[in-house]
């Protein structure tokens, strides 16, 4: 309803939605006669903030605040509700209230748990309320949860929630690859949450995580032709996992469509003093900075290379800060303003280089982000990735696919010293940068008649070709693998 | 009933059992009015052969033969039976008849499939019938199935059936370690089957597999104090898998008790011309070879070392062949007969050294099986064991346990060139030979604040101590791991 109103200016859906929200407000709350309930699947909380923002009606904000504040309090509402239905609360099908993050009041939660999509929507709403209500305690809780997620429970693809069982989180450092659930909607929720964290605090690490999810686990959720979708985004496949046209619970396809259609919202941000560039995506935007209209034209083929040119447009010169994100994956960035080198290191604020000056029309800013192929490793507590390496270039995580490589892929060993090159393949998967190099593969030609023997398989040299993870399963069915075995030399 | 009769000579249970078998014989069979059925869980087939052997009643043998011959024929009896119950055959809870090996007539089966215990009991009965009926087609089928199992679907511990879902087999080379089901009863069934294969053909590979299962997956099924049991025998554990006192479906505890109580049957075999030693276990046995009584006294502390002394006893000199198994794991065996070296290589028949001579009382045969610590590797198609090594000594597979080693165990890397030593630890786990050596372990002290980074964890040297797999989970709870990561150097 909010999106329809914003896109068309028509209130018909919005008015209906307001009546519905008003009704919900008559049922739930702390006032006498109301139920002290809240949803099992968080989502309305962030929606009510959206509704407040377009209508200006504070009661929607307060209803959202009520749901967030009430969540996880004792006596537990879901226990009460179960007894009212004549059920034993212990018979709850998901066993524990961690499943829907109602095990504790939200400000006391320190670990990301349970159903991953629900968690992302909850944390997003907490960030929304932290911003609208200037509630530092909600932001503090969100920061603790964010740190827990990104240091213990996040796939390198930005996927999250490894278990199909609860569609969610398991234990710290438990990140299985073949069986990774990593629902597309959870990665989309991670984009939502980090976007809101960025609005609270312009720290590049939030944009880094947003970008990691966006270019990997979110984008893998849809086929290159836009016709098929992944619900689950494993990091390895034996060849039987494929995108589907639709799902019984069809959240992911419209969610990804909505995200891609609204991508423009994520690229830039403004406040009174600054114009911020979070993402590098070819685009043109008009914004108001300190009361003045500014146009930004961004020219780039990012993520295929790291050269970005920004051209500013405005009616008259204007003093403001231009903040450009220096991505966490980038070790070497160069900046020029109207052709003159600008020292990034001495102007870096929370991962963003800030160029403050009187800008004028046709000012040109050139950012050069070095984008070599990087080897990435997982924390040694992640047993599923032990001895393995991921190839990454810029924000893109790469994978091997059977279509390009000799299978089985687990037989391939990438020497630590192997040189890896990248080149743009205009005819590959609609045009992607491909990573290639020399590796080794275990031979089995001399291994017959037994499953075990006292000397290992011999290794034969061979070439490997890696493609961006998001683009896998767009050719003939086959194996896929993100974490590659690494050899000593 | 058969065992009770054999142990006590009392027929009370046996007679009751015969009446029951007679009744079954009136219900099932090819004669008009009988049902063309057979069991969903194979077991009666081998039991009927046992009953035939003690009673001499051919009808029990023929009933067993009927069950084996009828199995898997079309129209499929389970389809017919389901329709008679008013059910849709497609609603079969295990989906496919591979589950109980009734997907094909047994002589057409070429792959070990389905529920592992059922499979072992079926193949055992097929071997029994092949022997009793001189049915080469059943032996041929068993040999094909045996080859398929041991080249594609057997754990190095002799465990089999990786999936909890069907308590059985999955796909070729699919041998997950943490989630290995590898039911104790399936390994016991493997002992049964290989014992029967040995009776058909005295090939050491059958005894090798029997021994592998016996000393590893079977023995791990019971705690050192005999009080607790594993149903499942995974090859890696994070520390939550423990033996239980009993199970809802309590097949494993009595099955292992029965096997250990009847272990004597597996050590020796005789025929008219030969006395065969399959297993090296301190023991004394009286046997009849070529009509003459022979006593064998076997002295050894096997499997702790490979020195075996056999002393023969008999009333008068007797010509026969003494066959001693040279285990497949042994690369260097020495034999002495009454102190004189005997050339094994030129007297090796199907993995057994055969010493034919006129034996007399007090003849002494000394076998020396070199038993160094061996590194074992899995076929490169086994993705779960890629880059990993197993330490093995003699018939024993070793594992690391948290009680002896720094955890997490997945961080430990055993260099390919690391020297590994063994010593007997009389106070360790009731007295076992322990394997120790120097290895490397990934450090995480410098890895904070992030789950992924662009350089790998550093490796620190440290000692490892490995214990026999069967003895794990007899101390404080903790991690366990059979397949260890191997480093290049």
């Amino acid at each position: 309803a909010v999106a329809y109103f914003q896109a068309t200016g028509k209130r018909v859906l919005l008015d209906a939605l307001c009546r519905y929200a008003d009704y919900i407000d008559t049922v739930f709350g702390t006032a006498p006669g109301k139920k002290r309930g809240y949803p099992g699947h968080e989502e309305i909380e962030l929606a009510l903030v959206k509704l407040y923002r377009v209508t200006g009606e504070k009661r929607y904000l307060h209803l959202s605040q009520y749901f967030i504040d009430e969540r996880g309090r004792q006596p537990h509402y879901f226990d009460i509700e179960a007894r009212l239905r004549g059920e034993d609360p212990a018979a709850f099908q998901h066993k524990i209230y961690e499943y829907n993050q109602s095990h504790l009041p939200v400000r006391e939660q320190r670990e990301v748990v349970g159903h991953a999509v629900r968690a992302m929507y909850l944390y997003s709403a907490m960030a929304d309320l932290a911003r609208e209500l200037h509630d530092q305690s909600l932001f503090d809780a969100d920061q603790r949860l964010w740190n827990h997620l990104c240091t213990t429970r996040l796939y390198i693809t930005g996927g999250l929630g490894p278990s199909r069982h609860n569609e969610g989180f398991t234990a710290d450092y438990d990140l299985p690859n073949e069986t990774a659930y990593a629902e597309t909607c959870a990665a989309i929720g991670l984009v939502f949450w980090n976007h809101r964290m960025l609005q609270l605090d312009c720290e590049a690490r939030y944009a880094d995580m947003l970008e990691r999810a966006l270019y990997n686990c979110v984008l893998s959720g849809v086929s290159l032709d836009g016709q098929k979708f992944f619900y689950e985004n494993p990091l390895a496949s034996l060849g039987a996992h494929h995108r589907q046209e639709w799902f019984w619970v069809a959240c992911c396809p419209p969610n990804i469509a909505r995200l891609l259609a609204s991508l423009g919202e994520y690229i830039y941000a403004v406040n009174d003093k600054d114009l911020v560039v979070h993402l590098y995506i070819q685009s043109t935007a008009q914004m108001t900075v300190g009361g003045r209209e500014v146009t930004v034209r961004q020219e780039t083929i990012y993520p295929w290379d790291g050269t970005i040119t920004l051209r500013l447009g405005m009616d008259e010169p204007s003093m403001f800060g231009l903040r450009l994100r220096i991505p966490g994956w980038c070790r070497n960035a160069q900046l020029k303003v109207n052709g003159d080198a600008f020292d990034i290191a001495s102007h870096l604020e929370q991962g963003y280089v800030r160029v403050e000056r009187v800008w004028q029309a046709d000012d040109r800013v050139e950012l050069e982000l070095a984008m070599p192929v990087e080897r990435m490793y997982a924390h040694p507590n992640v047993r599923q990735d032990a001895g393995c390496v991921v190839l990454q270039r810029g924000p893109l995580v790469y994978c091997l696919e059977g279509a390009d490589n000799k299978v089985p892929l687990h037989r391939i060993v990438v020497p630590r010293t192997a040189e890896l090159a990248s080149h743009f393949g205009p005819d590959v998967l609609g045009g992607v940068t491909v990573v290639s190099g020399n590796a080794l593969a275990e031979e089995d030609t001399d291994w017959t008649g037994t499953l075990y023997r006292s000397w290992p398989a011999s290794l034969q040299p061979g070439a490997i070709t890696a493609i961006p993870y998001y683009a896998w399963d767009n050719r003939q069915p086959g194996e896929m693998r993100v974490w590659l075995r690494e050899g000593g030399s």
Side-chain angles (χ1 to χ4, degrees), chain A:
Chain A
V2 170
Y4 184 73
F5 171 71
Q6 288 174 324
T8 66
K10 297 180 189 171
R11 294 193 57 99
V12 54
L13 260 178
L14 188 65
D15 289 341
L17 197 276
C18 286
R19 289 193 297 275
Y20 187 37
D22 291 342
Y23 172 68
I24 292 170
D25 195 25
T26 66
V27 175
F28 296 101
T30 54
K34 288 188 178 181
K35 295 185 182 186
R36 301 281 296 239
Y38 44 85
H41 193 315
E42 307 93 313
E43 189 156 4
I44 194 174
E45 299 88 342
L46 70 84
L48 285 166
V49 177
K50 284 190 186 183
L51 192 60
Y52 156 69
R53 286 176 182 158
V54 296
T55 62
E57 290 287 355
K58 283 261 179 191
R59 67 177 178 280
Y60 300 135
L61 183 66
H62 292 144
L63 182 57
S64 175
Q65 183 183 15
Y66 157 75
F67 283 138
I68 293 293
D69 287 348
E70 191 66 22
R71 190 167 204 87
R73 290 213 175 153
Q74 293 296 342
H76 201 287
Y77 180 72
F78 296 158
D79 286 351
I80 295 166
E81 201 180 30
R83 288 195 197 95
L84 286 174
R85 285 194 306 262
E87 292 171 9
D88 177 3
F92 174 55
Q93 65 161 318
H94 296 290
K95 304 277 192 304
I96 50 172
Y97 288 137
E98 277 82 354
Y99 174 72
N100 53 30
Q101 299 84 36
S102 68
H103 56 302
L104 284 173
V106 299
R107 289 172 185 78
E108 296 170 30
Q109 295 188 24
R110 277 163 175 71
E111 299 203 332
V112 294
V113 294
H115 188 279
V117 175
R118 296 175 201 227
M120 293 304 106
Y121 290 176
L122 170 63
Y123 308 155
S124 294
M126 287 163 64
D128 279 338
L129 290 171
R131 185 172 168 212
E132 296 296 343
L133 302 167
H134 308 289
D135 185 332
Q136 183 68 31
S137 66
L138 282 176
F139 185 46
D140 290 346
D142 252 359
Q143 284 183 300
R144 284 192 300 266
L145 292 163
W146 193 96
N147 282 327
H148 180 246
L149 174 62
C150 85
T151 56
T152 63
R153 297 191 176 189
L154 186 68
Y155 284 103
I156 195 164
T157 55
L160 57 159
S163 172
R164 165 191 294 266
H165 178 68
N166 65 347
E167 300 187 292
F169 298 104
T170 55
D172 285 355
Y173 303 107
D174 180 40
L175 295 165
N177 292 305
E178 266 181 40
T179 59
Y181 195 74
E183 186 182 335
T184 302
C185 282
I188 293 172
L190 188 64
V191 170
F192 295 164
W193 183 26
N194 278 283
H195 189 221
R196 286 161 171 81
M197 294 298 272
L198 272 178
Q199 291 166 343
L200 283 160
D201 190 7
C202 189
E203 276 221 43
R205 58 183 185 146
Y206 299 127
D208 285 344
M209 199 197 281
L210 187 162
E211 186 182 61
R212 179 179 293 282
L214 182 64
Y215 279 97
N216 299 289
C217 194
V218 171
L219 215 48
S220 75
V222 58
S223 61
L224 293 181
D225 65 5
Q227 300 297 307
K228 292 185 175 181
F229 303 89
F230 276 144
Y231 205 99
E232 299 159 44
N233 295 275
L235 281 79
S237 169
L238 298 181
H241 185 66
H242 305 297
R243 293 184 185 84
Q244 307 293 320
E245 291 187 6
W246 205 246
F247 301 98
W248 180 250
V249 177
C251 48
C252 301
N255 214 351
I256 197 168
R258 174 176 64 169
L259 179 70
L260 295 179
S262 61
L263 198 58
E265 297 173 15
Y266 296 88
I267 305 174
Y268 305 99
V270 287
N271 63 19
D272 278 358
K273 307 186 307 288
D274 286 349
L275 190 163
V276 188
V277 185
H278 293 311
L279 297 177
Y280 300 109
I281 297 177
Q282 173 120 333
S283 54
T284 302
Q286 281 105 41
M287 287 165 281
T288 305
V289 188
R292 298 265 178 76
E293 290 291 310
V294 179
T295 303
V296 179
R297 208 169 83 219
Q298 190 180 158
E299 293 165 6
T300 180
I301 58 163
Y302 189 99
W304 307 127
D305 79 21
T307 304
I308 299 115
T309 302
L310 298 167
R311 293 176 200 277
L312 300 182
M314 61 200 81
D315 289 339
E316 49 190 302
S318 173
M319 171 92 172
F320 62 88
L322 180 66
R323 277 182 198 258
L324 305 177
R325 171 172 153 259
I326 307 301
W329 53 258
C330 181
R331 303 195 205 199
N332 182 10
Q334 305 289 335
L335 186 67
K336 285 185 189 163
V337 177
N338 293 327
D340 298 329
F342 185 89
D343 181 40
I344 292 177
S346 56
H347 296 85
L348 207 59
E349 296 178 19
Q350 301 193 137
Y352 288 75
V353 56
R354 184 166 188 268
V355 188
E356 184 172 39
R357 55 181 279 162
V358 178
W359 295 99
Q360 49 193 20
D362 295 328
D363 273 348
R364 195 174 82 252
V365 176
E366 292 158 290
L367 181 63
E368 186 73 42
L369 303 171
M371 204 181 264
V373 179
E374 294 274 4
R375 284 172 163 79
M376 297 296 291
Y377 300 88
H379 189 284
N381 279 350
V382 184
R383 68 192 188 285
Q384 293 97 345
D385 301 335
C388 290
V389 63
V390 161
L391 307 184
Q392 185 177 302
R393 182 173 178 273
L396 293 173
V397 167
Y398 277 71
C399 68
L400 298 188
E401 214 183 6
D404 305 303
N405 299 281
K406 192 176 158 181
V407 292
L409 299 176
H410 70 261
R411 285 206 204 159
I412 293 173
V413 178
V414 182
R416 187 163 291 176
T417 54
E419 211 169 296
L420 298 163
S422 63
H423 73 276
F424 188 74
D427 301 325
V428 182
L429 292 159
V432 300
T433 293
V434 163
V435 170
S436 57
N438 289 317
L440 302 166
E442 288 175 350
E443 272 296 318
D444 67 355
T445 46
D446 69 337
W447 193 313
T448 51
T450 184
L451 198 44
Y452 305 104
R453 73 180 194 192
S454 58
W455 67 103
S458 61
L459 293 165
Q460 297 298 324
I464 55 167
T465 300
I467 59 160
Y469 169 74
Y470 79 79
W472 87 276
D473 193 40
N474 278 289
R475 294 174 295 184
Q476 68 269 37
E479 278 194 49
M480 182 278 293
R481 196 173 165 101
V482 170
W483 286 97
L484 312 178
R485 290 171 58 197
E486 191 178 60
S489 58

